[in-house]
Amino acid sequence: MEVSVNGKSIDVGAGEDETAAEMLRERLGLTGTKVACGTGVCGTCTVLVDGRTAASCLLPAGAVAGREVTTVEGLGGDAGDHPVQRAFAEHDALQCGYCTPGFVVEAAAFVDRWRDEHGTAEPSREQIADALAGHLCRCGAYAGIYAAVAAACAGKHDEGTVTPVRVEALSKITGAARYTTDVVLDGRLEGVIVRSPHPHAKVDGIRYDGPLAELLPADRVVRYVGQPVAAVAAPTKAEALAAAARVEIDYTVLPAVLSPEDDTVVYPTEESRKAAPRANEGPLASAKWNGNVRGPASMSWRGGTAAKRIEKARGDGGRTLVEASFTTGVQAHTCMEPHSCVARWEGGELHLQLSTQAVTRVADQAAKRWKLKPEQVHIVAEHVGGGFGSKVNVTADVVSAVELSRLHDAPVRVVLSRPEEIVDGGTRPGTRIDLALLAGADGELAAFTMDSHGDSGVSIGSNAAWHSRFVYGNAPRRIRDYDHVTNRAPGIPFRGPGMPPMLWALEQAVDEMALRRGEDPIELRRRWDGNPKRHALYDEASALPMWRDRTDPGDGRVRRGVGVAAANYMYFLDPGTKVELVVEQGAVVARIATQDIGTGSRSVIAEVVRSALDLLPGQVRVELGHSDHVYGPTAASSCSTASIAPAAQDAARRLRKALGARSLDEAGGTRVVGRRPRDRRGYVTPFPLDHFAIGRGFSGAVVVTEVEVDTLLGRIRPARVWCGVAAGHIYAPRPARNQCEGGVVQGIGYALFEQRHDDPGTGTVLTANLEDYRIPGIADTPEIDVHFHTEGWDHVPGRGVGLGEICTMGVAASIGNAVRAATGWRPHDLPIRPDRLLEGIAR
């Protein structure tokens, strides 16, 4: 058929069932058009058809015959010259960049219409939100998007020089950035995973008329609906799906455990228990098993004393004793780029192009799994469309692609669908936390007990209560974590694992204590909290007009309330981090085997090197995402910046010394390797734990949120959020601010919308798409003010630590406290759905 694409007439073939997105991506190589949901919900696939926006993942390819299609590649050319593209680069309106092309195309159409009708008048936030309502950004970069679109409408980016905030911004706003889902190798096959329809069954046999990769555990037992069983490959995705339908599997169905009353044991043997997936990071705390309950895993401090004091307070009437149970729902990571891998074997060596946040870690795991030498595994992750903790290991997509590639002697690409991503791509475990908090006669914290019951499906290692050991001084505390194992999909670490549910309970209990004592909630925290960095944040927060001028909400339909919550997080780093600098063609090239999942690692390294060597931005180039480069950290536990920035500083110092009086043009080929210096106060851990070390000191955050509550409809709208973060020196201020703004948005999703729902009879996930599983959109984004406290980290090389997790941890709790201030009703269950709110305030 004949179609005009980006101003060029093209004769292109298309299958009967092919979508416009598939035609553009697979046949024409225009991979700026992404597919993330496949149902027209997320907007990543947006293109212009005859000047109007369309969701190309739903549009049949035949429907564009004889029409003009414009993709992001054709919008402003390779230079990104459309005012919207320039604005997105200038205002840092992106993070991982996977959703960015769709936003850019939609925003360009809106800006062009707006300018025709309104000239250079600036639209309101509501008008911008309406225009972009069909688009989702899991990173939560909405604050920058608001600013970029408003500026483009006002004509501020029609001309002039643009200085991108991120070094990779141009490639992301033009669609040139290549993600794993975009990789097409000659002769490649498409792989599809065959999954279990049963929550609990033994696989007795598998029959298939071609090469098949088995994905079963050693005992051949599947333990949740959607667990990988096998994988097959074919030249196209449609053929691979048809092949998967021909796979015959014999199951012996076993009784499923879907509630605490069920008697069947999910892990009946020691071997199966050892093989259980993990819901947390780091070593697994020891605990006993009792059927399907594992625990308690304890991190108590004078636990017996705490329990006795609380029991005595119950007998005394308990006026200064706060007791309650709090629950949190299961939250899906659902990254915009799904788990994906392209594998090929060549000369006995394994090559992976992979969507991962752990290049070196996964390379090491792959070498061990397939019995290869480390130098025989090569991973490329040039651009990664989000991770949030879900992409740190060899996962089913990797195993499938590798095994199928070996079987077929051809490259194989495996990309999870959105339902697969939501079911098996990872979730934050749900929790029920039973908490008792006691204040003494002097108003100081006297004791608390916290029992956390984790709902991690088949996973173990819930650790929400464990984190409460490190907050509010050294008052006696009994802390216990339990796993309640069921035949549901596994939980895994998610951005600050364990902390948001723990703070949802603890920070609301602290707030309740302040109310009972008639004390300002910030002042109570200041007294209980000995961390001087958070004291500086309390000072800032208490002086905010939003806090200082809060008033009685009254009893009208719409009420406003302001809440506060604090957060505390360990300082992690990877002490083995290195950065290589090489002088090439008059520029300095930085190389490291780490990845940028949208957190700004490229920009941090570029800024450190540029500043240290007094170079222009164009004189520094950063290459990362290749396992063959010098060792780099996993993007987890907020350790990236605290590891790569000092290593880059050390490399720049070495290069300056090596250059001497020579210019870059004269010093071609000069190479140095910088290493992360040791902290001056040493580490809490005497040796790295899986490459991580725990440094001395805690990062901190204080979040103040104002909400508007519609007591008739049960809607909660966060109106303003102030997020104070104490993480030391900020290497790249705007990307760091963007990270914190996105963390606030994810916290809002956790508080108000996100909850995976399962069929109670089978464990089948019912919210397996982005329409039923609701994540925040741009209209849900409040005005966000981020404040950085940069002191207190002089013992750390570079004086700065990570902040990507601390910024999101206390958001949900601050919203809960704000709802209590607005309505008089305290929410105990997340998310705070309209039905729960209406029922609560009615009581």
Side-chain angles (χ1 to χ4, degrees):
M1 69 178 184
E2 194 83 15
V3 60
S4 176
V5 179
N6 296 332
K8 296 180 181 179
S9 182
I10 299 174
D11 188 8
V12 60
E16 184 177 341
D17 297 327
E18 195 167 321
T19 66
E22 291 169 334
M23 179 195 73
L24 292 168
R25 290 175 55 80
E26 304 297 330
R27 296 184 184 274
L28 302 180
L30 296 171
T31 55
T33 302
K34 306 295 186 217
V35 176
C37 70
T39 55
V41 177
C42 71
T44 62
C45 67
T46 300
V47 298
L48 298 177
V49 179
D50 294 337
R52 298 176 64 88
T53 57
S56 64
C57 75
L58 296 180
L59 189 66
V64 300
R67 303 174 74 178
E68 173 63 43
V69 176
T70 304
T71 70
V72 69
E73 290 93 342
L75 198 62
D78 294 341
D81 281 337
H82 191 283
V84 163
Q85 292 173 308
R86 297 158 65 87
F88 267 57
E90 186 85 20
H91 292 273
D92 198 34
L94 63 144
Q95 286 188 34
C96 80
Y98 201 77
C99 68
T100 302
F103 268 103
V104 165
V105 172
E106 189 76 64
F110 170 68
V111 169
D112 291 345
R113 291 195 309 271
W114 181 269
R115 296 287 292 275
D116 287 343
E117 297 172 10
H118 304 282
T120 56
E122 192 169 299
S124 66
R125 285 174 62 92
E126 291 74 21
Q127 289 169 317
I128 294 172
D130 286 346
L132 302 179
H135 291 257
L136 296 172
C137 173
R138 187 49 162 159
C139 300
Y142 297 124
I145 294 171
Y146 268 126
V149 175
C153 285
K156 296 178 181 178
H157 296 283
D158 290 353
E159 56 187 21
T161 302
V162 173
T163 303
V165 172
R166 291 174 190 256
V167 297
E168 78 278 16
L170 181 63
S171 64
K172 289 179 175 178
I173 62 175
T174 61
R178 283 302 190 95
Y179 299 79
T180 301
T181 55
D182 302 329
V183 174
V184 178
L185 301 179
D186 291 341
R188 68 100 173 87
L189 304 177
E190 294 288 347
V192 168
I193 297 174
V194 181
R195 298 178 179 274
S196 170
H198 305 291
H200 200 191
K202 179 75 176 286
V203 175
D204 299 316
I206 303 175
R207 295 182 299 281
Y208 178 61
D209 56 3
L212 174 144
E214 283 199 11
L215 304 174
L216 291 166
D219 60 6
R220 301 182 68 79
V221 174
V222 291
R223 291 180 167 85
Y224 61 95
V225 173
Q227 181 170 336
V229 175
V232 296
T236 68
K237 188 65 172 282
E239 291 173 295
L241 289 168
R246 297 197 304 272
V247 176
E248 298 180 8
I249 304 173
D250 297 325
Y251 294 97
T252 296
V253 177
L254 304 173
V257 176
L258 297 168
S259 73
E261 292 74 33
D262 293 329
D263 295 329
T264 302
V265 178
V266 176
Y267 295 117
T269 67
E270 184 69 21
E271 291 74 17
S272 62
R273 291 171 180 173
K274 288 180 179 179
R278 304 290 175 82
N280 68 341
E281 295 175 332
L284 185 68
S286 61
K288 294 182 179 179
W289 285 81
N290 181 14
N292 292 316
V293 179
R294 181 182 180 277
S298 181
M299 187 65 173
S300 299
W301 166 251
R302 299 174 62 196
T305 299
K308 290 177 182 177
R309 288 182 181 179
I310 286 171
E311 189 60 37
K312 183 176 184 300
R314 290 191 185 110
D316 293 342
R319 191 182 68 82
T320 59
L321 176 66
V322 175
E323 290 190 274
S325 293
F326 297 86
T327 70
T328 63
V330 175
Q331 182 185 25
H333 295 68
T334 192
C335 311
M336 296 311 287
E337 182 188 25
H339 283 69
S340 48
C341 177
V342 180
R344 64 183 174 90
W345 290 89
E346 186 176 304
E349 299 195 347
L350 178 59
H351 297 261
L352 302 176
Q353 288 178 280
L354 182 61
S355 182
T356 181
Q357 57 191 94
V359 167
T360 53
R361 175 188 173 101
V362 171
D364 183 57
Q365 291 177 351
K368 292 176 181 176
R369 184 182 183 101
W370 285 285
K371 297 179 173 57
L372 300 170
K373 297 177 182 178
E375 59 269 22
Q376 292 178 299
V377 178
H378 312 276
I379 294 181
V380 176
E382 187 175 357
H383 292 283
V384 181
F388 315 115
S390 68
K391 298 176 180 177
V392 298
N393 293 304
V394 168
T395 43
D397 54 306
V398 181
V399 178
S400 301
V402 171
E403 294 293 351
L404 289 170
S405 177
R406 180 151 55 184
L407 288 168
H408 288 273
D409 193 24
V412 173
R413 178 173 67 177
V414 175
V415 178
L416 298 195
S417 66
R418 186 53 49 180
E420 288 179 298
E421 185 69 22
I422 291 178
V423 172
D424 206 29
T427 56
R428 186 193 300 279
T431 61
R432 188 192 83 238
I433 292 179
D434 301 322
L435 174 66
L437 188 74
L438 177 66
D442 58 357
E444 296 301 318
L445 178 60
F448 74 80
T449 62
M450 180 181 288
D451 288 349
S452 176
H453 302 268
D455 172 16
S456 305
V458 297
S459 290
I460 60 174
S462 298
N463 64 345
W466 182 88
H467 290 282
S468 68
R469 171 64 183 88
F470 307 104
V471 295
Y472 295 124
N474 281 310
R477 57 199 69 194
R478 189 190 68 195
I479 301 164
R480 302 186 297 196
D481 279 295
Y482 297 84
D483 294 306
H484 293 261
V485 179
T486 61
N487 288 121
R488 290 186 174 86
I492 61 175
F494 189 154
R495 200 173 189 176
M499 288 295 296
M502 185 277 285
L503 292 172
W504 168 247
L506 180 61
E507 285 299 290
Q508 287 208 83
V510 172
D511 198 71
E512 186 64 30
M513 184 67 75
L515 292 175
R516 291 191 186 184
R517 289 182 48 79
E519 188 172 356
D520 183 291
I522 290 180
E523 293 308 313
L524 177 62
R525 287 174 171 84
R526 190 200 308 272
R527 285 196 300 103
W528 285 9
D529 188 347
N531 188 300
K533 294 185 285 291
R534 269 193 307 281
H535 276 214
L537 296 179
Y538 293 139
D539 291 342
E540 294 285 341
S542 61
L544 292 171
M546 175 171 51
W547 181 260
R548 189 185 61 232
D549 301 336
R550 63 195 191 282
T551 59
D552 187 290
D555 57 1
R557 170 181 167 176
V558 178
R559 307 173 195 172
R560 284 183 174 252
V562 181
V564 65
N568 193 46
Y569 196 49
M570 287 180 170
Y571 148 46
F572 292 93
L573 68 146
D574 188 330
T577 301
K578 302 175 183 178
V579 171
E580 177 189 56
L581 297 182
V582 182
V583 179
E584 296 181 0
Q585 299 178 335
V588 176
V589 181
R591 296 189 175 101
I592 177 176
T594 192
Q595 54 291 307
D596 192 333
I597 62 173
T599 53
S601 294
R602 282 185 179 87
S603 299
V604 167
I605 293 171
E607 179 58 24
V608 167
V609 173
R610 187 200 64 77
S611 298
L613 297 176
D614 298 321
L615 301 176
L616 299 173
Q619 292 179 290
V620 180
R621 190 169 77 248
V622 180
E623 296 179 2
L624 45 72
H626 294 251
S627 62
D628 295 340
H629 293 162
V630 296
Y631 176 84
T634 294
S637 300
S638 295
C639 82
S640 289
T641 297
S643 304
I644 62 177
Q649 288 174 329
D650 184 61
R653 179 186 61 79
R654 293 171 185 262
L655 182 58
R656 180 179 287 279
K657 183 177 180 180
L659 289 175
R662 294 179 298 166
S663 68
L664 294 180
D665 291 328
E666 298 169 328
T670 303
R671 174 186 178 273
V672 299
V673 175
R675 294 168 172 80
R676 189 196 187 280
R678 185 175 176 81
D679 286 13
R680 285 196 289 274
R681 288 167 50 190
Y683 307 129
V684 175
T685 48
F687 52 86
L689 301 171
D690 194 18
H691 296 297
F692 291 106
I694 302 174
R696 298 191 181 278
F698 289 83
S699 60
V702 174
V703 182
V704 181
T705 300
E706 181 180 40
V707 300
E708 183 180 270
V709 180
D710 185 326
T711 60
L712 179 63
L713 300 179
R715 292 177 180 166
I716 300 168
R717 183 182 73 86
R720 291 184 289 174
V721 176
W722 181 87
C723 180
V725 174
H729 175 65
I730 306 299
Y731 293 95
R734 188 59 192 96
R737 192 171 300 278
N738 195 340
Q739 272 281 287
C740 293
E741 291 162 349
V744 168
V745 171
Q746 282 197 354
I748 289 170
Y750 188 52
L752 301 180
F753 311 127
E754 298 188 44
Q755 183 175 18
R756 192 188 71 186
H757 289 283
D758 307 317
D759 184 309
T762 66
T764 301
V765 176
L766 303 176
T767 49
N769 58 69
L770 288 178
E771 192 164 16
D772 294 328
Y773 187 87
R774 163 108 148 79
I775 67 174
I778 191 168
D780 302 308
T781 304
E783 296 179 11
I784 302 172
D785 180 15
V786 177
H787 169 78
F788 294 124
H789 177 69
T790 59
E791 298 176 4
W793 295 97
D794 292 342
H795 64 288
V796 174
R799 299 180 293 104
V801 301
L803 50 70
E805 289 168 288
I806 188 66
C807 61
T808 195
M809 294 173 178
V811 174
S814 75
I815 292 174
N817 290 333
V819 169
R820 168 64 176 83
T823 66
W825 168 74
R826 181 168 298 285
H828 285 213
D829 306 303
L830 282 184
I832 316 173
R833 301 191 311 252
D835 61 312
R836 288 172 169 169
L837 174 67
L838 293 175
E839 181 182 352
I841 60 178
R843 290 201 303 266

